Amino acid sequence: MLATFAALFTLATLRWLEWRVMRQCFARLTLCFAKGHIMSQDELERILAELGFTIHQVDYRQTGSGAMFEYKMVVSTFALKNFKALAGTLVGLPNVLDFHVSPTAE
């Protein structure tokens, strides 16, 4: 009986600690630009860093018979609220024609 209680207490304590520790949240991010108005990757990295994001992988794509340029990347942050801030920032950038932020499941 005592061993069962000790095991349950240990599991409950570990679960509590798991929820207290900062967790990294990942998302897929896609950004589309017109060919003549492509944001540099350095500028994009600066904006994402200011919002609390880290870039883990970047893919590049030219679409629309060469009229559009796309960045696809995996980004991470430690605060879920940063996704909302990212969307708000991207809406305000005039050279971003289209974007998609897709948080991954935990």
Side-chain angles (χ1 to χ4, degrees), residues 39 54 71:
M39 179 183 292
T54 302
Y71 287 111

Side-chain angles (χ1 to χ4, degrees), residues 42 95-96 104:
D42 290 338
N95 54 341
V96 175
T104 60

Side-chain angles (χ1 to χ4, degrees), residues 32-104:
C32 295
F33 300 91
K35 187 173 183 176
H37 304 283
I38 300 169
M39 179 183 292
S40 73
Q41 186 173 340
D42 290 338
E43 177 69 10
L44 184 56
E45 288 175 2
R46 185 191 62 76
I47 290 170
L48 290 171
E50 287 176 0
L51 293 169
F53 286 92
T54 302
I55 299 174
H56 296 279
Q57 175 185 343
V58 181
D59 296 325
Y60 311 93
R61 181 177 176 198
Q62 186 171 305
T63 62
S65 298
M68 306 250 310
F69 181 82
E70 234 178 47
Y71 287 111
K72 286 188 176 185
M73 59 190 71
V74 175
V75 296
S76 67
T77 183
F78 285 103
L80 283 174
K81 67 180 180 174
N82 290 349
F83 290 120
K84 186 175 180 178
L86 174 60
T89 298
L90 294 175
V91 165
L93 295 175
N95 54 341
V96 175
L97 298 179
D98 189 27
F99 72 89
H100 183 208
V101 180
S102 178
T104 60

